[in-house]
Amino acid sequence: MANDSRVILLGEDVARMGGDFGATMGLLAKFGPDRVRDTPLSEAAILGVANGAAFVGLRPIVEIMFSDFITECYDQLVNNSAKAHYMFEGKASAAIVVRTASGAGFRAAYHHSQNPEAWFQNIPGLTVVGPSTPYDAKGLLIAAIRDDNPVIFLEHKMLYGTTGEVPEESYTLPIGVAEVKRPGTDVTVVASLKQVHYALAAAEKLAAEEEISCEVIDLRTLIPFDQATVLASLKKTGRIVLVNEAPKTGSINSEISAVIMEEAFKDLKAPVERVNSLDVPVGFAPVIEDYVTPGPADIAKAVRKVIDN
Amino acid sequence: MDKQKLLDYYRKMVLVRRFEETMEEYAKKGYIPGFLHLGIGQEASQVGAMSAFEPGDYVLPDHRGHGVCLMVGTPTREVMAEIFGKKTGTNGGRGGSMHVADLKRGNIGNNAIQGSTMATACGLAVSAQVKKTKSITFDFLGDGTVGRGEFHESLNLAGIWKLPIVYVLVNNGYAISTRATDAHPLADLAKMGCAYNIPGVTVDGNDVEAVAAAVKEAADRARRGDGATIVELKTYRWQGHFSGDPASYRPAEELAAWKEKCPIKHLRTQLLGKKLTDEAALKAIADDVEREIQDALKFAIDSPTPTIEDALRFVYVGREVAGK
Ligand SMILES: Cc1ncc(C[n+]2csc(CCOP(=O)(O)OP(=O)(O)O)c2C)c(N)n1
């Protein structure tokens, strides 16, 4: 925001309070009430404002407090943000970033725990980014702000407490590029957001206890995903486990799996394994929430399955 | 003035207050997972408004609505068990604090997507028209909801179809950190119905009698077939937005001033001042409430948690979902 006066921030409670999770604390004092605005509780209007402002040159960052509430502004996002560049024949676009807290684990039940990424994959024009570390969060967020496309920036609510090295200065990480977090030779494990940490935990355990070597890839950009990195790793290992916290049916794992069928069928030594939440809403009681969403044990089980196959 | 009625309000407000205090205490002790939105300070709005609720009516509580859920007649134990995430709770522990529902008593449940009860309320009201019953729908809203498109779309429908709805608009001054006066162009949100030909009244939400009278009038109107009313109740929440929120966005003096206007204290002063009761009788009420709370606590703590099989139930009607 300091570097680019076109960047504005709006959302519920982002200014005076600094956001429900404190992610925008201090920005009002620094950049003033024109550029940092609290809005009423009106998701559709928030996205509409962002679109309008973006069409004429601003670069809005909006916060939708919980990703579940994106359904409230889905029309703006689908029909206006995503299609803007196309509709204007390239003369303008919705250069917006939609920051939103996603994911399960908070014991917040059906309306505050969803992983919405799959909702966006049938909408040409949208990009979905989801960091798993503080370093990636900063680099990807700045990249998303500079990107001329609408970018949905998923922040897993259970990762807000994660600590890690973050340089003071401004830097960007490329959107659309995955990172190999852990090299390995037996199985490729592709994950994103909180599940990256679970995949790494599972990989450590499998290496230590069962001498299975997992290569763990953090997608970082979920839509479109980094085909080159995923397929190169699969070529090396011949086995793949796809991990994503959203319900299984129609998840981004389904899409990645389809791409593997098209592009790398012959590299497969075993069928693709998908690790997802069950096709069930997220319930409140901890036993239920934990059972429905995937954890390290589910990932390890899938790895063993592709090895045994 | 009906002494019995006032004592009944008093008992109910003390029950709601003690329920909320107990929930806060047990959340701090780690018994309650997730968010907890408390309505301490708002008891008169909940108890007063629900005094017009009759069997056969519907209610959609707000996310600060434990008190409303209790007023439907759901046993205190079941509401508490739900908040504890237990199998014996109203939703089998699957909903928690934000989702307490009790269909057989007319509590259709809150929707944690703020404002999304509003169109549902229209549907409940349409059902009463179609079935030709006298059922009315109480839709509890926060001031925050007024910003949503669904608020306006629903009022429009309620206006054209003369739907039997009472909008209980609990204006506690804030939507999380955002002041109602910063979020809406009118100070009295009851006037929001004007464009939709829906009358509105603004009432002191801490005066249980005033609340009850205004809501009763709105309820009568709805039962007569004259359509919806917005009853705006001006009140204040004492706690942060959720249990654990320090609420540093609001001045301490403001909170202190509202605590002076405590609805329970207000009624107590009136009851004693008019010699309708004495300290001993009020103490007996408090003791009775305490027994109910302790019984519910024991029930909630001792109840079993759901099992993983419960996670898979009720996703579809008549169709199984595979587990792991
Ligand atoms: C559609 C939607 N947007 C945002 C939220 C997050 N949120 C939860 S409560 C709340 C404020 C609600 O304020 P109000 O309606 O005044 O009720 P109060 O909390 O004051 O009782 C917000 C913004 C939500 N639950 N749903």
Side-chain angles (χ1 to χ4, degrees), chain A residues 12 41 43 65 69, chain B residues 63-64 112 114 142-144 172 174-175 241:
Chain A
E12 291 156 22
L41 198 170
E43 283 76 13
M65 197 178 280
F69 313 157
Chain B
H63 68 290
R64 218 173 282 294
Q114 294 303 329
D143 43 278
N172 62 13
Y174 287 87
H241 169 59

Side-chain angles (χ1 to χ4, degrees), chain A residues 13 16-17 20 40-43 65-66 69 72 106-112 278-281 283-288 290-293 298, chain B residues 33-35 82-83 85 93-96 98-99 111-114 116 144 147-148 175-178 183 249 306 308 311-312 315 321 323-324:
Chain A
D13 304 290
R16 243 155 42 92
M17 191 172 83
D20 220 16
L41 198 170
S42 3
E43 283 76 13
M65 197 178 280
F66 284 82
F69 313 157
E72 301 301 335
F106 214 78
R107 317 313 188 193
Y110 341 102
H111 293 155
H112 286 79
L278 299 176
D279 287 332
V280 162
F284 170 67
V287 252
I288 287 183
D290 294 343
Y291 175 65
V292 165
T293 52
D298 300 298
Chain B
F35 290 115
E82 185 57 36
I83 297 168
R94 300 144 66 100
M98 277 184 287
H99 299 280
N111 188 311
I113 317 288
Q114 294 303 329
S116 290
R148 282 276 319 273
I176 306 189
S177 73
T178 304
Y249 42 80
I308 53 176
L312 306 176
V315 179
V321 172
K324 284 184 180 166

Side-chain angles (χ1 to χ4, degrees), chain A residues 39-223:
Chain A
T39 66
L41 198 170
S42 3
E43 283 76 13
I46 295 169
L47 250 289
V49 168
N51 282 334
F55 293 165
V56 292
L58 294 188
R59 303 186 79 84
I61 305 168
V62 305
E63 184 173 298
I64 298 300
M65 197 178 280
F66 284 82
S67 67
D68 312 61
F69 313 157
I70 278 179
T71 50
E72 301 301 335
C73 47
Y74 208 55
D75 168 51
Q76 284 292 340
L77 208 55
V78 172
N79 288 315
N80 294 331
S81 315
K83 296 172 189 168
H85 196 55
Y86 196 78
M87 294 191 300
F88 295 134
E89 291 207 284
K91 293 181 209 55
S93 68
I96 65 176
V97 180
V98 180
R99 295 185 41 243
T100 187
S102 73
F106 214 78
R107 317 313 188 193
Y110 341 102
H111 293 155
H112 286 79
S113 307
Q114 292 168 94
N115 294 276
E117 51 263 37
W119 305 346
F120 308 117
Q121 62 183 0
N122 204 245
I123 303 163
L126 292 182
T127 299
V128 178
V129 168
S132 70
T133 67
Y135 177 84
D136 288 3
K138 177 169 174 177
L140 288 167
L141 183 58
I142 295 174
I145 294 166
R146 293 186 187 164
D147 197 296
D148 289 330
N149 293 291
V151 178
I152 297 165
F153 198 84
L154 302 178
E155 301 171 14
H156 199 293
K157 58 178 79 71
M158 302 310 286
L159 293 180
Y160 279 121
T162 314
T163 50
E165 286 288 316
V166 181
E168 272 297 324
E169 69 275 11
S170 178
Y171 61 92
T172 59
L173 293 174
I175 289 175
V177 178
E179 184 193 12
V180 177
K181 298 290 275 190
R182 182 187 201 282
T185 51
D186 298 331
V187 180
T188 298
V189 180
V190 179
S192 49
L193 293 139
K194 184 176 86 176
Q195 295 298 326
V196 171
H197 300 276
Y198 285 172
L200 288 170
E204 285 303 320
K205 205 160 182 287
L206 287 164
E209 294 170 12
E210 302 173 42
E211 288 179 17
I212 298 172
S213 163
C214 294
E215 176 145 301
V216 178
I217 294 175
D218 178 357
L219 279 181
R220 300 197 296 195
T221 298
L222 290 79
I223 302 173

Side-chain angles (χ1 to χ4, degrees), chain A residues 14 39 49 118 197 252 266 270 289:
Chain A
V14 295
T39 66
V49 168
H197 300 276
I252 68 152
K266 293 194 176 123
E289 182 171 35

Side-chain angles (χ1 to χ4, degrees), chain B residues 19 22-23 76-85 293 296-297 300:
Chain B
F19 186 91
T22 309
M23 291 306 88
T76 305
R77 309 172 138 208
E78 288 177 31
V79 178
M80 206 180 280
E82 185 57 36
I83 297 168
F84 276 60
I293 294 287
L297 252 182

Side-chain angles (χ1 to χ4, degrees), chain B residues 27-310:
Chain B
K28 286 204 180 104
K29 287 185 184 166
Y31 282 85
I32 299 175
F35 290 115
L36 186 67
H37 305 95
L38 297 170
I40 297 178
Q42 301 183 181
E43 296 85 356
S45 68
Q46 303 176 330
V47 170
M50 286 301 284
S51 67
F53 183 90
E54 292 178 8
D57 291 343
Y58 302 113
V59 61
L60 296 146
D62 60 335
H63 68 290
R64 218 173 282 294
H66 302 147
V68 177
C69 297
L70 292 171
M71 290 307 110
V72 173
T74 306
T76 305
R77 309 172 138 208
E78 288 177 31
V79 178
M80 206 180 280
E82 185 57 36
I83 297 168
F84 276 60
K86 296 301 181 75
K87 206 171 157 73
T88 52
T90 49
N91 309 33
R94 300 144 66 100
S97 161
M98 277 184 287
H99 299 280
V100 175
D102 184 355
L103 295 186
K104 69 173 184 291
R105 292 187 179 87
N107 175 1
I108 311 301
N110 172 38
N111 188 311
I113 317 288
Q114 294 303 329
S116 290
T117 59
M118 289 198 70
T120 311
C122 292
L124 297 166
V126 163
S127 85
Q129 289 182 333
V130 171
K131 296 183 192 165
K132 308 213 181 317
T133 68
K134 287 281 169 215
S135 294
I136 62 170
T137 298
F138 295 79
D139 189 2
F140 280 77
L141 311 167
D143 43 278
T145 330
V146 174
R148 282 276 319 273
E150 190 158 326
F151 178 89
H152 300 275
E153 295 183 30
S154 303
L155 288 188
N156 192 52
L157 275 182
I160 53 173
W161 289 345
K162 281 201 177 309
L163 295 178
I165 300 176
V166 178
Y167 293 104
V168 183
L169 205 169
V170 182
N171 186 348
N172 62 13
Y174 287 87
I176 306 189
S177 73
T178 304
R179 283 203 185 93
T181 45
D182 290 338
H184 313 296
L186 295 173
D188 289 344
L189 299 176
K191 291 183 192 148
M192 282 283 178
C194 173
Y196 309 102
N197 205 16
I198 291 178
V201 284
T202 299
V203 179
D204 175 355
N206 281 18
D207 178 344
V208 70
E209 282 184 283
V211 172
V215 173
K216 177 75 170 57
E217 199 176 325
D220 288 346
R221 196 171 166 264
R223 280 190 225 281
R224 278 199 308 271
D226 293 342
T229 308
I230 300 177
V231 183
E232 179 190 15
L233 306 176
K234 289 244 166 82
T235 184
Y236 201 78
R237 67 165 150 81
W238 290 9
Q239 316 307 108
H241 169 59
F242 54 85
S243 169
D245 164 20
S248 42
Y249 42 80
R250 64 185 191 190
E253 313 81 67
E254 189 180 279
L255 172 61
W258 276 96
K259 280 192 171 175
E260 278 306 305
K261 292 192 253 177
C262 170
I264 297 177
K265 198 158 94 182
H266 175 77
L267 180 57
R268 192 188 165 86
T269 309
Q270 280 200 318
L271 281 165
L272 293 173
K274 292 182 182 142
K275 303 228 178 329
L276 294 173
T277 188
D278 55 24
E279 294 281 359
L282 296 184
K283 167 89 172 43
I285 290 177
D287 290 346
D288 183 46
V289 163
E290 203 53 36
R291 274 190 293 277
E292 182 169 338
I293 294 287
Q294 293 308 321
D295 166 73
L297 252 182
K298 183 164 167 26
F299 177 78
I301 291 171
D302 292 346
S303 287
T305 53
T307 62
I308 53 176
E309 287 74 30
D310 290 317

